[in-house]
Amino acid sequence: MLVPIFRALSILPLPILHALGSVLGWLVYLSSASYRRRMRDNLRQAGYGQHLSAAIAEAGKSIVELPFIWCAKPERVSRHASDEGWSLVQTELDAGRGIVFLTPHLGCFEIVAQEIALRTELMVMYRPPKKAALKPLIEGARARDNLLLAPANMSGVRMLAKTLKKGKPIGLLPDQVPQEGEGVWATFFGRQAYTMTLPAKLAQLGDATIIVTYAERLPGGRGYVIRFVPFEGTLDGSAAEQAQTINHAMERLIARCPTQYFWSYNRYKVPAGISAPAEGASA
């Protein structure tokens, strides 16, 4: 049932979808106490509490734009996207060097992989959604020409490593909470967050370049600017130190447009089987 609904919504102009999204954002915020509490707490923790109203509207836009991003024809979606810093990517591609694209839940992160795949083959890690009804939508959107899916398991990790060793790029969402044994505790906006170690391991294994990227949502439904940013820092030291370096890079990226981060995400949850960090601990 969701597929025909999404396809019907994808026909609407992006400005209308974003206007509807702003309304939805407020409806969800006002109807869910737990949602309100998490969004407020996460914004305040990061020092962006003053952006609450804008963040509520942007969160709604991130949902209602999905029919357009997932179901509209790729060429139509691409007409609404421009890029900044692609030369950084092209230099690495020309050198035959693997690239690890790190894309946090910032702006329209769903469009980033699609736009990269219009220029070069890209493999991304994929974990099937918990709701089965979403599976055909998400898989249909992500498994497009030049966009390859690797399962979120050891088989998928091996696929990603082989891709990097061939000098080709991969994409990861570094701010997802990993499962037991796949992460370490590292600070994220001043609070301990269980953080995946996979990005650093893959980058080192494949002797690859890390590039951080996000798609900023322009006001008024005018589209998106996909920005490619050099990764600052080195991946020396322990796994915890490497994860901390990546978290700091994500913080700097989020600071560019803090209203568009996924603040309602339970970033600080303790995964099953993992002991909570010691109170007051820091990396």
Side-chain angles (χ1 to χ4, degrees), residues 57-76:
E58 293 295 332
K61 293 178 186 178
S62 71
I63 299 301
V64 182
E65 71 192 1
L66 289 178
F68 172 76
I69 301 299
W70 286 350
C71 299
K73 292 183 178 180
E75 56 269 23
R76 180 179 167 221

Side-chain angles (χ1 to χ4, degrees), residues 241-277:
E241 290 170 330
Q242 293 169 355
Q244 188 64 72
T245 298
I246 289 175
N247 276 359
H248 284 330
M250 296 305 102
E251 291 171 352
R252 288 190 292 269
L253 208 65
I254 292 164
R256 291 168 169 249
C257 54
T259 62
Q260 296 188 22
Y261 188 62
F262 193 23
W263 295 111
S264 61
Y265 181 51
N266 192 5
R267 183 65 184 90
Y268 300 107
K269 70 180 179 181
V270 179
I274 298 296
S275 299

